[in-house]
Amino acid sequence: MAIPLPDGLATPVLVVDPDVLDNNISRMAETSRSQGFALRPHAKSHKCGQIADRQLRFGARGLSVATISEAEAFARVGVDDLFIAYPVWLDADKAQRLRRLADDVALRVGVESVEGAQRLGNAVHGSARPVEVLVEVDSGSHRTGVQPHAAGEVGKAAADAGLDVVGVFTFPGHGYGHDAQARERAARDEERTLGEAAQALRDLGLDIRVVSGGSTPTVGQWQPGAVNELRPGVYVFNDATQLAIGTCGVEDLALVAAATVISVPAPDRFVLDVGSKVFGSDRSSWVTGHGYLPQFPQGSITGLWEHHAVVRLPEGVRGPSLGSVVAVVPNHICTPVNLADELLVVRDGEVIDRWQVTARGANT
Amino acid sequence: MAIPLPDGLATPVLVVDPDVLDNNISRMAETSRSQGFALRPHAKSHKCGQIADRQLRFGARGLSVATISEAEAFARVGVDDLFIAYPVWLDADKAQRLRRLADDVALRVGVESVEGAQRLGNAVHGSARPVEVLVEVDSGSHRTGVQPHAAGEVGKAAADAGLDVVGVFTFPGHGYGHDAQARERAARDEERTLGEAAQALRDLGLDIRVVSGGSTPTVGQWQPGAVNELRPGVYVFNDATQLAIGTCGVEDLALVAAATVISVPAPDRFVLDVGSKVFGSDRSSWVTGHGYLPQFPQGSITGLWEHHAVVRLPEGVRGPSLGSVVAVVPNHICTPVNLADELLVVRDGEVIDRWQVTARGANT
């Protein structure tokens, strides 16, 4: 877990353990392979060319991304098979950018409305490579996505617009519960809604070959055959939320924020130079505090500001001294990565590399 | 409020109304002047050279910042009077950087421990300009800062280390309550603790001339003479939290995130292409939802992901159509500014300028 941390780190800084990272990547690749799933990891969780490269070398088919600018960033570093797993709305500028991408890489795009599909069709008409389309289905998180019975209407509009409708996808956000039952229920919802939507599209004569699901929590929960593609993101690093819901162990944590103790106001309390501008302020109701402290597992970050994290310790637990460097595992890894310009790669207490966060801030 | 928004915006993007901004800046300057306070606004809330310049032109004495790298960023764009309102812990690298700053600009630094003061003294010994020191006092937010009676020990260490101890400062974070009483109580706490700490330092024979308090909520709550410097930050833009606690009106909101409607899953619900990677996920218990929608004041962002904001409307309220551009006022303005590379400046529905976020990501 990138511990021990190197001496003399300029904190705050994000630190990656490349061996844990590779273990996480290879294990997910092996799970997918052995269970017959195509793996298309979500790159929003790392935004980093070197990590994308590792995922692809270990057998990922391509990457998922959330925005056109994330796709552009990964295309620039050589990734040539990208799924924008988002119902992009194309104005004139985005239509042009998407068309350039479609000329350069194998591109898949999400749709969930008739008008969105028509705009996409217009944008990529005659592109060098045909753009593949997946219809987004709401499997229970009530974010974007059509109800399964409405998939046919959107799929027909996409086909009529000249697009190659190849599949369906969903985000099982309601699988982020605090118990295994929540994950299992979400997986059942995914199977059922994706299955119904795929059938509605097949009834139109479309060749539906991609049934894409899964975030990190629901991977491994599916019945054989119901889903054939995975899009987990967080698993590369894991985080304090995954630890709390039990989808990873401490040994699977591949990224920490290194922080300096700037204040020890009381024996049961110390303050670190990290905060919401370093790792965000995401906190699910089932997570205690604003991060996990591997060196002080009984400690809890009870107060968080932009550059201050106040840690409370139980009575009798000895805290670190002023000036010490302490590791914090963030609650939700997708946020800190997007706040940093680079990741330090550390093995055995030495910085061995620095990786640029290629797609930081790529929101459009 | 930067509304109407220009056509053809590439969303998501942060949009500033320069006239509301100037009103906010000039009003705070006038309040300070008329009540006899020095104004040293906190630049963490905008991180932008052009806005710093406006604050200084309207009469701010200098800027407050949270980190050495924020100070470096503002020094690069010509700000020559900076207070690092944070108990910086100097390792070898930070000591060097701080020394360079001390040679270049009028610098003040916060201290709250004996060892921190000694390290600071060593770092800036013999610098071209003497570094001024303010002792941080805990006025009730229980973050960093000494108890008032302990200020003497830290001040003595700083003076012994050759530093010019000029004052005391505090952050009244507990003033962010949902009622005016909380703000008033916090202001009383500031006066009392800063007064006690200043006296403890004066008892040592130190010439204490700066008594610095205040975030946006407690400005205007003080008795004459108790505090002589203000460090508000958020007031330049205001945000949905300030609106909720009543320290600003809708007409004082100077920054919105422009977002596109990417989905209309039901008549009472629409989804925007903004989320925690655009404006963070800060949410105080007294704020409803994840932002304020000026065009849909009865709407509430009930679901927030990295690139999705789900808005719920009361029954009978007509929502926007797919592809519309909608403004969102973020809950806490310091976060979105740190996620963006630039701010669009909009007047009467036209983009008239683009300002770089000079100190984005300046965390070290």
Side-chain angles (χ1 to χ4, degrees):
Chain A
M1 205 192 350
I3 292 178
L5 290 162
D7 289 333
L9 282 182
T11 65
V13 67
L14 302 186
V15 174
V16 172
D17 183 319
D19 302 315
V20 178
L21 177 76
D22 280 354
N23 276 345
N24 292 341
I25 291 174
S26 70
R27 196 166 56 234
M28 183 64 81
E30 182 48 35
T31 299
S32 306
R33 198 165 18 240
S34 68
Q35 299 183 12
F37 296 116
L39 179 61
R40 188 180 280 277
H42 209 306
K44 74 185 174 79
S45 303
H46 58 73
K47 289 180 172 271
C48 175
Q50 282 88 342
I51 297 176
D53 186 54
R54 286 164 128 83
Q55 291 176 314
L56 294 167
R57 278 194 285 118
F58 277 104
R61 185 220 153 111
L63 296 183
S64 301
V65 294
T67 64
I68 297 174
S69 53
E70 277 189 350
E72 290 167 336
F74 284 105
R76 271 197 298 276
V77 296
V79 180
D80 63 358
D81 189 338
L82 290 159
F83 172 33
I84 306 177
Y86 192 89
V88 289
W89 182 263
L90 299 175
D91 59 15
D93 175 61
K94 282 184 179 155
Q96 246 183 14
R97 290 165 53 202
L98 196 88
R99 170 58 186 265
R100 275 197 296 270
L101 273 171
D103 286 335
D104 289 348
V105 301
L107 192 64
R108 283 183 183 169
V109 182
V111 297
E112 61 101 83
S113 69
V114 168
E115 200 178 340
Q118 289 164 342
R119 284 180 174 243
L120 179 61
N122 289 338
V124 301
H125 180 71
S127 62
R129 309 195 196 193
V131 168
E132 295 182 340
V133 160
L134 274 72
V135 177
E136 187 178 9
V137 179
D138 177 6
S139 57
S141 64
H142 305 318
R143 194 170 77 170
T144 45
V146 295
Q147 296 305 308
H149 63 83
E153 191 193 3
V154 174
K156 182 173 184 310
D160 289 349
L163 296 161
D164 187 11
V165 182
V166 303
V168 289
F169 78 108
T170 194
F171 168 69
H174 57 316
Y176 272 82
H178 65 293
D179 59 17
Q181 281 77 34
R183 300 200 286 280
E184 203 192 316
R185 273 197 306 275
R188 293 293 86 72
D189 289 341
E190 280 184 277
E191 291 168 356
R192 180 180 49 77
T193 54
L194 288 173
E196 286 176 31
Q199 192 53 51
L201 295 170
R202 287 186 183 118
D203 289 346
L204 296 171
L206 295 167
D207 176 19
I208 297 307
R209 46 204 189 269
V210 184
V211 181
S212 178
S215 56
T216 301
T218 61
V219 165
Q221 304 279 338
W222 299 320
Q223 313 289 346
V227 170
N228 63 20
E229 181 180 274
L230 304 183
R231 302 189 323 278
V234 170
Y235 77 98
V236 289
F237 297 129
N238 292 304
D239 56 26
T241 304
Q242 300 294 332
L243 191 65
I245 66 180
T247 56
C248 78
V250 169
E251 67 282 6
D252 305 317
L253 298 167
L255 184 149
V256 299
T260 296
V261 178
I262 53 154
S263 177
V264 183
D268 69 341
R269 190 151 50 100
F270 60 94
V271 187
L272 299 171
D273 65 349
V274 286
S276 60
K277 281 184 175 165
V278 176
F279 51 57
S281 54
D282 285 357
R283 186 154 76 93
S284 311
S285 53
W286 58 87
V287 175
T288 310
H290 287 279
Y292 170 76
L293 293 97
Q295 296 138 296
F296 301 93
Q298 296 170 283
S300 180
I301 297 179
T302 55
L304 193 79
W305 287 266
E306 288 152 64
H307 299 282
H308 299 76
V310 175
V311 183
R312 296 256 175 194
L313 293 170
E315 211 185 304
V317 173
R318 195 192 164 115
S321 57
L322 200 57
S324 308
V325 174
V326 169
V328 183
V329 178
N331 276 349
H332 180 205
I333 206 65
C334 304
T335 306
V337 165
N338 185 49
L339 287 161
D341 291 310
E342 64 172 16
L343 308 175
L344 291 199
V345 185
V346 165
R347 180 179 283 141
D348 300 331
E350 300 284 336
V351 177
I352 60 168
D353 209 348
R354 286 161 190 268
W355 293 342
Q356 201 202 335
V357 182
T358 321
R360 191 207 56 74
N363 288 329
T364 59
Chain B
M1 204 189 356
I3 291 176
L5 290 163
D7 290 334
L9 281 182
T11 66
V13 67
L14 302 186
V15 174
V16 172
D17 182 318
D19 302 315
V20 177
L21 177 76
D22 280 354
N23 276 345
N24 293 342
I25 291 174
S26 70
R27 196 166 54 233
M28 184 63 82
E30 182 46 36
T31 299
S32 307
R33 198 166 15 241
S34 67
Q35 299 183 11
F37 297 117
L39 179 62
R40 188 180 279 279
H42 209 306
K44 73 184 174 79
S45 303
H46 58 72
K47 289 178 172 271
C48 175
Q50 281 89 342
I51 297 176
D53 187 52
R54 287 164 129 82
Q55 291 176 313
L56 295 167
R57 276 195 286 117
F58 276 103
R61 184 218 153 112
L63 296 183
S64 301
V65 296
T67 64
I68 298 174
S69 52
E70 278 188 349
E72 290 167 336
F74 284 105
R76 271 196 298 275
V77 297
V79 180
D80 63 358
D81 189 339
L82 290 159
F83 172 32
I84 306 178
Y86 193 88
V88 289
W89 182 263
L90 299 175
D91 58 14
D93 175 61
K94 283 184 178 155
Q96 248 182 13
R97 289 165 54 203
L98 197 86
R99 170 57 186 265
R100 274 197 295 271
L101 273 171
D103 285 334
D104 288 348
V105 301
L107 191 64
R108 284 184 183 168
V109 182
V111 298
E112 62 101 81
S113 69
V114 168
E115 201 179 340
Q118 289 164 342
R119 286 181 172 241
L120 179 60
N122 290 337
V124 300
H125 181 70
S127 60
R129 309 195 197 193
V131 168
E132 295 182 339
V133 160
L134 274 71
V135 177
E136 186 177 12
V137 179
D138 177 7
S139 56
S141 64
H142 305 318
R143 194 170 78 170
T144 44
V146 295
Q147 296 306 308
H149 64 83
E153 191 194 3
V154 174
K156 182 172 185 311
D160 289 349
L163 295 161
D164 186 12
V165 182
V166 303
V168 289
F169 78 107
T170 194
F171 168 70
H174 57 316
Y176 271 82
H178 64 296
D179 59 17
Q181 280 76 35
R183 299 201 287 280
E184 203 192 318
R185 272 196 306 276
R188 293 294 86 72
D189 290 341
E190 280 183 278
E191 291 168 357
R192 182 180 48 78
T193 54
L194 287 173
E196 285 176 31
Q199 192 53 51
L201 294 169
R202 288 188 182 117
D203 290 345
L204 296 170
L206 295 167
D207 176 19
I208 298 306
R209 45 204 189 270
V210 184
V211 181
S212 177
S215 56
T216 301
T218 61
V219 166
Q221 304 279 337
W222 298 320
Q223 313 290 345
V227 169
N228 64 19
E229 181 181 274
L230 305 182
R231 302 189 322 277
V234 170
Y235 77 97
V236 289
F237 298 129
N238 293 302
D239 55 26
T241 304
Q242 300 294 334
L243 191 65
I245 65 180
T247 56
C248 78
V250 170
E251 66 282 6
D252 306 317
L253 298 166
L255 184 149
V256 299
T260 296
V261 178
I262 54 155
S263 177
V264 183
D268 68 342
R269 189 151 50 100
F270 60 95
V271 187
L272 299 171
D273 65 349
V274 286
S276 60
K277 281 183 174 165
V278 176
F279 52 58
S281 54
D282 285 357
R283 186 154 78 92
S284 311
S285 54
W286 59 86
V287 174
T288 311
H290 287 279
Y292 169 75
L293 293 97
Q295 296 138 296
F296 301 93
Q298 296 171 285
S300 179
I301 297 178
T302 55
L304 193 80
W305 287 265
E306 289 152 63
H307 299 282
H308 299 77
V310 176
V311 184
R312 295 256 175 194
L313 293 170
E315 211 185 304
V317 173
R318 196 191 164 115
S321 57
L322 200 57
S324 307
V325 174
V326 169
V328 182
V329 177
N331 275 350
H332 180 204
I333 205 64
C334 305
T335 307
V337 164
N338 186 49
L339 288 160
D341 291 309
E342 63 172 17
L343 309 175
L344 292 198
V345 185
V346 165
R347 180 179 283 142
D348 300 333
E350 300 283 335
V351 177
I352 59 167
D353 209 347
R354 286 161 190 269
W355 293 342
Q356 201 201 338
V357 182
T358 321
R360 190 208 57 74
N363 288 329
T364 59

